[in-house]
Amino acid sequence: AQSVTQPDIHITVSEGASLELRCNYSYGATPYLFWYVQSPGQGLQLLLKYFSGDTLVQGIKGFEAEFKRSQSSFNLRKPSVHWSDAAEYFCAVEPYNNNDMRFGAGTRLTVKP
Amino acid sequence: NAGVTQTPKFQVLKTGQSMTLQCAQDMNHNSMYWYRQDPGMGLRLIYYSASEGTTDKGEVPNGYNVSRLNKREFSLRLESAAPSQTSVYFCASSEEEIYTGELFFGEGSRLTVL
């Protein structure tokens, strides 16, 4: 079955530490891949996306993600986390531009001072 | 810039009552969407509209109806609310003439059905 999996429900990191959020997908072919961030009480905002080409993509707010076809993964990374990064992060996939974007369950990030 | 505006932001209903969630976008986008967000389940697509006058079912359409009133507005109606429809509802829009894949979201409408 087609699915998007975010294995970590909740992650806590110290401010200044590095961050990696995991995302795996199960689709017949590589879909379009996205990471969104949701701050408390807000809607979702696009961080970055991958369609094709260079497997390391840069996004806003200092985030990057790496697509690994062999692992069906699209993990989100940031070298140094800031307190303002505390939020919920969603991985999403859209097969072939078909208006049916599917979201993972989300990973909630807590940042310790 | 307003972007995507949803009303109301909060609503409490009793089982069996009806209500309509309103959504409007000012970005001249063709496509609009309604999602629901439930803990541990991420966002799930209820309905979408690829253009004015068209609507299509998403992953979880049962119990909902939608209307694409014009290019700006896309409403979601619950005819007979059930406790299982307690959720946070998000409207989103996207520009599909030049595909970017980016969805622009409203701030959400929190609905509680007692």
Side-chain angles (χ1 to χ4, degrees):
Chain A
Q2 298 177 336
S3 65
V4 184
T5 303
Q6 293 180 247
D8 305 304
I9 296 173
H10 184 207
I11 284 182
T12 299
V13 300
S14 297
E15 191 167 16
S18 63
L19 171 69
E20 182 168 24
L21 302 182
R22 296 182 291 164
C23 174
N24 294 94
Y25 63 89
S26 174
Y27 280 82
T30 301
Y32 299 144
L33 300 162
F34 306 84
W35 275 99
Y36 281 83
V37 60
Q38 183 182 30
S39 298
Q42 301 295 312
L44 281 70
Q45 180 186 20
L46 180 68
L47 282 176
L48 47 76
K49 60 189 176 187
Y50 174 78
F51 290 171
S52 64
D54 192 345
T55 57
L56 185 64
V57 294
Q58 302 297 319
I60 62 172
K61 306 185 181 188
F63 285 91
E64 66 178 26
E66 185 172 15
F67 167 61
K68 292 186 177 180
R69 185 187 305 275
S70 62
Q71 299 177 19
S72 296
S73 69
F74 189 55
N75 293 348
L76 182 70
R77 302 195 294 244
K78 187 169 185 178
S80 178
V81 170
H82 187 262
W83 64 267
S84 61
D85 294 324
E88 188 147 20
Y89 292 80
F90 293 93
C91 181
V93 304
E94 185 174 32
Y96 323 123
N97 179 21
N98 70 352
N99 285 311
D100 189 7
M101 188 173 292
R102 298 295 177 104
F103 289 82
T107 298
R108 184 163 61 92
L109 174 65
T110 297
V111 180
K112 294 191 301 184
Chain B
N1 291 338
V4 179
T5 304
Q6 295 180 227
T7 56
K9 287 188 166 35
F10 300 93
Q11 184 72 51
V12 178
L13 292 177
K14 295 181 180 177
T15 297
Q17 288 185 319
S18 63
M19 77 158 298
T20 299
L21 299 176
Q22 306 286 353
C23 175
Q25 52 92 8
D26 63 2
M27 294 173 284
N28 202 35
H29 286 168
N30 288 315
S31 297
M32 297 186 73
Y33 312 79
W34 276 106
Y35 285 87
R36 60 177 290 173
Q37 182 180 27
D38 302 292
M41 302 189 74
L43 280 76
R44 292 179 293 168
L45 183 64
I46 304 171
Y47 271 93
Y48 69 94
S49 170
S51 63
E52 186 178 350
T54 68
T55 61
D56 286 284
K57 295 179 180 179
E59 186 182 357
V60 289
N62 291 344
Y64 304 95
N65 288 301
V66 290
S67 296
R68 183 73 182 268
L69 305 170
N70 48 55
K71 191 171 185 179
R72 290 187 64 248
E73 298 172 291
F74 188 38
S75 63
L76 178 72
R77 183 163 178 82
L78 288 69
E79 292 290 352
S80 178
S84 61
Q85 294 178 304
T86 293
S87 187
V88 180
Y89 291 85
F90 286 95
C91 179
S93 69
S94 68
E95 178 51 69
E96 299 301 333
E97 285 189 9
I98 302 174
Y99 180 75
T100 66
E102 180 173 5
L103 297 181
F104 294 83
F105 285 85
E107 294 187 345
S109 298
R110 183 175 294 274
L111 174 66
T112 301
V113 183
L114 302 175

